Amino acid sequence: MSAPGSGTPSPVQGITDSSIGDFLERLSSKDPTPGGGGAAAIMGAMGAALVSMVCNVSYAKKGCEAAEPELREVCAQSEALRRRLTAMVADDVSAFDGLMAAYKLPKNTDEEKQRRSQAIQSSLKRCTEVPLACARDCAEVIRLSRRAGENGDLGVISDAGVGVSAAYAAARSAALNVYINASSLKDRAFAERALAELDGMMTFCAAESEAVYSLVRERL
Amino acid sequence: MSAPGSGTPSPVQGITDSSIGDFLERLSSKDPTPGGGGAAAIMGAMGAALVSMVCNVSYAKKGCEAAEPELREVCAQSEALRRRLTAMVADDVSAFDGLMAAYKLPKNTDEEKQRRSQAIQSSLKRCTEVPLACARDCAEVIRLSRRAGENGDLGVISDAGVGVSAAYAAARSAALNVYINASSLKDRAFAERALAELDGMMTFCAAESEAVYSLVRERL
């Protein structure tokens, strides 16, 4: 990814158009983006996609007729989450690039220093909100993975287990970015609200993802 | 993905050339591949890429000079794992397609039945070996993530936490595919060896990934 001010526009919007191989290559490089935040959003989107897959396969199977309305409702929600989490890959890059650009603002005069500090704080808020929204969506994917795991066809039930594992890894990963950025925020009321919401979500995600994984293993 | 015998060649080799958006779309569809196995390999490769990123960023930073030889060694290994896990995405699809093709073999005569059964058993072995190799590589990524997390620059330390979370989700996901396919194997000695190796790895992966995540959180 291009550093802010390098003259090359950051290809943020197109990041999910890059191939998986290229993304992995760029992820491994010393460039700051894409980084852990983008990887988290992709894992969340994979979790949502796998919940959708369980539903889409199960409709077609005999013995799943009774569960069809439930699975159709789950799939509509998981598809919305997949699209939102896919878009979040670019959101994460643009939030982080914004923060890097704020740190590079001039700080020669008092006025410049103040403007730079405000830009940093405003960017840090966005760098807290984006991963918090990612964690929130991943908690929803985990909720849906239980419904897919309970009602899905046995032939694809393992995919619900992969989906819940991906969504939990994504939530824990997004949480790390909330912790870092919230710690530098001067607006402590905002930071504390974000951290309190995150704590509640992470407690739920840890217990529920473990329960869904066990449920899937028992149905294998 | 095309079903075996549909006339369209399965684009297995090129699967990591597809865009992230397309892959997620295909993952959500009712087609059996790409499925959870491919998603597991990608998460493992993301984990390896993030370990590499921590190393690549840290070399350039002041204060990391003493850790440079250690980080260069870690990075050489994580890059090899990233490449291997990326290639495993296609391996998983081809192993699964092979199994589906075996199930579709004719079974009209005793000879056909025997040939079909042998083909299924041989495909099931491959469908056990591929995710077992994936879990093995993910355990290595988890090992490396500790070294990256202990020695990496604080500015990218969270990426070691995302890396270990991705690798653990990948290992647990691959494990589900080993459980399913090993359970249908007639060669019980082979199946029991695979399951015993997997059990040991999963015990290590659960404890070590939790320890590395905590280590990273403390260094944030």
Side-chain angles (χ1 to χ4, degrees):
Chain A
M1 298 292 295
S2 60
S6 70
T8 320
S10 176
V12 166
Q13 290 310 321
I15 193 160
T16 51
D17 295 332
S18 65
S19 77
I20 293 166
D22 281 352
F23 177 84
L24 290 166
E25 183 89 37
R26 283 160 65 190
L27 192 60
S28 70
S29 82
K30 71 178 195 325
D31 294 324
T33 54
I42 292 178
M43 286 193 282
M46 286 205 287
L50 285 161
V51 167
S52 302
M53 184 204 188
V54 172
C55 298
N56 284 322
V57 170
S58 301
Y59 301 148
K61 301 280 179 176
K62 281 181 190 164
C64 276
E65 292 83 0
E68 188 171 335
E70 163 76 354
L71 290 170
R72 289 215 180 263
E73 193 184 304
V74 169
C75 194
Q77 292 179 37
S78 58
E79 284 299 272
L81 287 162
R82 172 171 71 84
R83 281 188 288 271
R84 215 153 64 198
L85 284 157
T86 304
M88 239 176 245
V89 182
D91 290 350
D92 185 85
V93 172
S94 88
F96 190 82
D97 284 349
L99 181 61
M100 291 300 100
Y103 277 119
K104 287 184 180 177
L105 287 174
K107 47 178 178 176
N108 300 312
T109 67
D110 281 352
E111 206 191 322
E112 281 180 351
K113 279 179 194 163
Q114 206 193 342
R115 202 177 302 140
R116 177 173 174 273
S117 169
Q118 280 169 353
I120 290 171
Q121 288 299 314
S122 148
S123 298
L124 278 171
K125 273 196 181 173
R126 188 155 152 68
C127 286
T128 304
E129 283 167 335
V130 171
L132 187 64
C134 180
R136 216 179 268 137
D137 280 353
C138 291
E140 282 310 305
V141 174
I142 291 170
R143 257 183 245 280
L144 296 175
S145 70
R146 170 182 284 277
R147 295 164 69 187
E150 282 175 347
N151 297 286
D153 180 73
L154 290 182
V156 283
I157 205 68
S158 67
D159 295 295
V162 177
V164 77
S165 304
Y168 181 49
R172 292 197 100 182
S173 299
L176 292 173
N177 285 337
V178 176
Y179 299 139
I180 301 169
N181 297 312
S183 72
S184 303
L185 276 171
K186 287 184 184 161
D187 183 347
R188 294 315 304 159
F190 174 94
E192 295 305 330
R193 266 199 314 278
L195 290 169
E197 184 190 348
L198 185 68
D199 271 358
M201 283 195 294
M202 294 314 294
T203 303
F204 164 77
C205 289
E208 184 66 359
S209 63
E210 207 54 51
V212 174
Y213 188 88
S214 297
L215 176 161
V216 165
R217 265 206 75 173
E218 278 162 29
R219 290 195 70 203
L220 280 185
Chain B
M1 299 291 296
S2 61
S6 71
T8 320
S10 176
V12 166
Q13 290 310 319
I15 193 159
T16 50
D17 295 331
S18 65
S19 77
I20 292 167
D22 281 351
F23 177 83
L24 290 166
E25 183 89 37
R26 284 160 65 190
L27 192 59
S28 70
S29 82
K30 71 177 197 323
D31 294 323
T33 53
I42 292 178
M43 286 193 283
M46 286 205 288
L50 285 161
V51 168
S52 302
M53 184 204 188
V54 173
C55 299
N56 283 323
V57 170
S58 301
Y59 300 149
K61 301 280 179 174
K62 281 181 190 164
C64 276
E65 293 83 357
E68 189 172 333
E70 162 77 353
L71 289 169
R72 290 216 178 262
E73 192 184 304
V74 168
C75 194
Q77 292 179 39
S78 59
E79 283 298 273
L81 286 162
R82 173 171 71 84
R83 281 188 289 270
R84 215 153 63 197
L85 284 157
T86 304
M88 240 177 245
V89 182
D91 290 350
D92 185 84
V93 172
S94 88
F96 191 81
D97 283 349
L99 181 61
M100 291 300 100
Y103 277 118
K104 287 183 181 178
L105 286 174
K107 47 178 178 175
N108 301 312
T109 66
D110 282 353
E111 206 192 321
E112 280 180 353
K113 280 179 192 163
Q114 207 194 341
R115 203 177 302 140
R116 177 173 173 274
S117 170
Q118 280 170 353
I120 290 171
Q121 288 299 315
S122 148
S123 298
L124 278 170
K125 273 196 181 172
R126 188 154 152 70
C127 286
T128 304
E129 283 167 336
V130 171
L132 187 63
C134 179
R136 216 179 268 137
D137 280 353
C138 291
E140 283 309 305
V141 173
I142 291 170
R143 257 183 245 280
L144 295 175
S145 70
R146 171 182 283 277
R147 295 165 68 187
E150 283 175 345
N151 296 287
D153 181 73
L154 290 183
V156 284
I157 205 69
S158 67
D159 295 295
V162 177
V164 78
S165 303
Y168 181 49
R172 292 197 100 183
S173 299
L176 291 173
N177 284 336
V178 176
Y179 299 139
I180 302 168
N181 296 313
S183 72
S184 302
L185 276 171
K186 289 185 183 160
D187 183 348
R188 294 315 303 160
F190 174 94
E192 296 306 329
R193 265 200 313 277
L195 291 168
E197 184 189 348
L198 186 68
D199 270 359
M201 281 194 298
M202 294 314 295
T203 304
F204 164 79
C205 289
E208 184 68 359
S209 63
E210 208 53 50
V212 174
Y213 189 88
S214 299
L215 175 161
V216 164
R217 265 204 77 173
E218 278 161 28
R219 289 195 71 201
L220 280 185

